[in-house]
Structures are given as structure tokens and as C-alpha cells.
Amino acid sequence: MVIHTQVIVLKSFPYGDTSLIARCFSKDYGKISFIVKGARSKKSPKSSQFQPISYLDIIYRDKPNQELKLINKADFRESWPGILQDLRSITLSMAILEMTEKTLSEYDPHPELFNKLVVVLREFNKKNIDTNILFWFYECTLLTHLGFRPSLDQRQFPGIVLPDLNNGPNSVFILKKLLEQNIHNIPAELITSQDRKIISNYLWILMQYHFDGLEGIKSMAVVRKILSDA
């Protein structure tokens, strides 16, 4: 069966002498692994297409019991050069892709989560919204769509105690807005240094509690420092 869908490339790595394996989040079919033949040859446009953060329209052949799907055609749907030109944006965006790759199951579609990821990456590219808000928004969205929507009144889970959001001047307000899927009406000036630390710790503890393997994200130490700094 030939399938046409949108994907965001989450991760890619070499395979053989000239090919790549690309792990992608597809809008219609969830996380899928593709083999991209010839992508590492110098003249192939596929080398740039199948790098993390690429947003593509692809056509591929889906064969039952075939672990690696074969790409027939790929075209850029949008490009986001603004992300690549800013160290803070690229660091946070790459961490978002890693979190997505580690939390999604193969062939488990989440089209609304896919749409929200596109919105977040577009906003990183535009630079009109505070990067902390975008990162926290995606963490809230990921938790919600995968069945772990935070309850701000619950601080204790077996084995953990979450930070007290009331210790941040605006932490409860900010998280309520994020959980309402509202990223446009949170003035950046409301985010104090204390709010940054509390919200970042609160969401990251929840993420690690609900999803295995996130401690393997090597960039997260840098990301948490970025999120805590003014």
C-alpha cells in the first residue's frame, strides 16, 4: 500500500555506506522508522531533507511486517531557518524532538499532538513567544495527549513529591494557561526567575515519572539550565 502523509524528522543516523535511517513522527500513523536509500551521497537532496526538525510531505510503501519503510518521494512542506540560527531555539527544539521520540510508541497516531508540535516549532522559528513558554507548553501537551495531564492540586505520587507551585509568584497562573493550550496570553514579564525554576522542575519531574528513558537525553542538563536562567 502506498501512503502519503506529513512527517517531522525526529532523529536520523547512518545505515550502510550511503543510506540513512530516519525516525519520524507522522501525522496519520505515529512514529515510523524509514530507510532512506542514497541519502548520504553528495548529490542527493535527501541528506538535507532527513535531518532533525525537517517538516516533510512524504510518499512511502507500507508492507506488512516490514520494520523499515521505504521512502518513494519526499518534499519540504515548510522550512524553519530561524530555529537553526539561534542556539537557544535549536537546543530546546532538539530536546523536544528527543522527548517525542522517546515517549511515542511505534504506529500509535496522535494527530493533535503532531499539530501542536508543528505550532511550537513554527513559533520557535518566528521568535515572537518566550522560549520557556514554548518548551513548557509542549511538555504539558505531551503529558496531556499521552494520558498524564497534570493536576495542579496533586503534589504527591508514589516515590516523589512535586515542587510547590505556590512558591512561585505566577507559577500556578502560567501552568493553568499552558494546560488550557494558551500560549499567546502569557506575558513574558510575568515569568520570574523563581517561576522558571519551579515550573521547569515540576514538569521535568512529571515527565521522568511517567515516561521511562528520559534520563538518557544528554542535552537535558543544558536545557534545564537554559530554562532556569533569565
Side-chain angles (χ1 to χ4, degrees), residues 79-84 89 93 120-128 134:
S79 60
W80 298 314
I83 294 177
L84 304 178
S89 293
S93 296
V120 166
L121 294 174
R122 279 176 182 155
E123 293 299 338
F124 271 118
N125 183 64
K126 293 177 185 176
K127 298 181 174 60
N128 291 332
L134 291 173

Side-chain angles (χ1 to χ4, degrees), residues 135-137 139-140 143 150 162-163 175 178 198-208:
F135 193 88
W136 297 333
F137 172 80
E139 285 181 306
C140 288
L143 285 163
L162 296 171
L175 275 170
L178 292 173
I198 288 173
I199 295 173
S200 296
N201 287 336
Y202 178 91
L203 290 173
W204 183 236
I205 290 170
L206 274 180
M207 290 286 294
Q208 288 184 296

Side-chain angles (χ1 to χ4, degrees), residues 9-149:
V9 181
L10 303 175
K11 181 180 182 180
S12 62
F13 48 90
Y15 181 80
D17 292 331
T18 61
S19 299
L20 284 176
I21 290 177
R23 198 155 291 140
C24 300
F25 182 15
S26 75
K27 181 174 183 178
D28 303 303
Y29 300 96
K31 187 171 70 173
I32 307 176
S33 295
F34 297 98
I35 182 168
V36 191
K37 293 186 175 181
R40 294 167 60 208
S41 63
K42 293 181 180 179
K43 295 182 180 180
S44 174
K46 295 177 183 177
S47 178
S48 61
Q49 288 175 328
F50 286 91
Q51 296 303 311
I53 306 180
S54 292
Y55 182 22
L56 308 171
D57 279 314
I58 66 165
I59 298 173
Y60 72 95
R61 186 173 297 278
D62 185 27
K63 293 183 179 180
N65 303 318
Q66 184 181 49
E67 184 177 352
L68 296 175
K69 308 302 181 183
L70 184 63
I71 297 284
N72 289 1
K73 185 179 180 182
D75 294 295
F76 281 106
R77 187 175 181 88
E78 291 182 29
S79 60
W80 298 314
I83 294 177
L84 304 178
Q85 296 166 4
D86 179 72
L87 181 59
R88 186 182 183 101
S89 293
I90 188 64
T91 301
L92 296 180
S93 296
M94 290 298 290
I96 281 174
L97 297 186
E98 280 196 82
M99 288 193 302
T100 305
E101 196 273 327
K102 289 184 179 296
T103 54
L104 291 182
S105 300
E106 298 275 350
Y107 310 114
D108 183 17
H110 291 277
E112 285 305 310
L113 177 62
F114 180 92
N115 290 338
K116 290 294 192 300
L117 177 56
V118 171
V119 167
V120 166
L121 294 174
R122 279 176 182 155
E123 293 299 338
F124 271 118
N125 183 64
K126 293 177 185 176
K127 298 181 174 60
N128 291 332
I129 298 176
D130 184 276
T131 53
N132 278 58
I133 290 173
L134 291 173
F135 193 88
W136 297 333
F137 172 80
Y138 190 72
E139 285 181 306
C140 288
T141 302
L142 194 60
L143 285 163
T144 298
H145 281 273
L146 297 185
F148 305 107
R149 178 183 171 88

Side-chain angles (χ1 to χ4, degrees), residues 157-160 204-212 214:
F157 291 85
I160 66 166
W204 183 236
I205 290 170
L206 274 180
M207 290 286 294
Q208 288 184 296
Y209 180 79
H210 289 299
F211 304 113
D212 293 331
L214 292 185

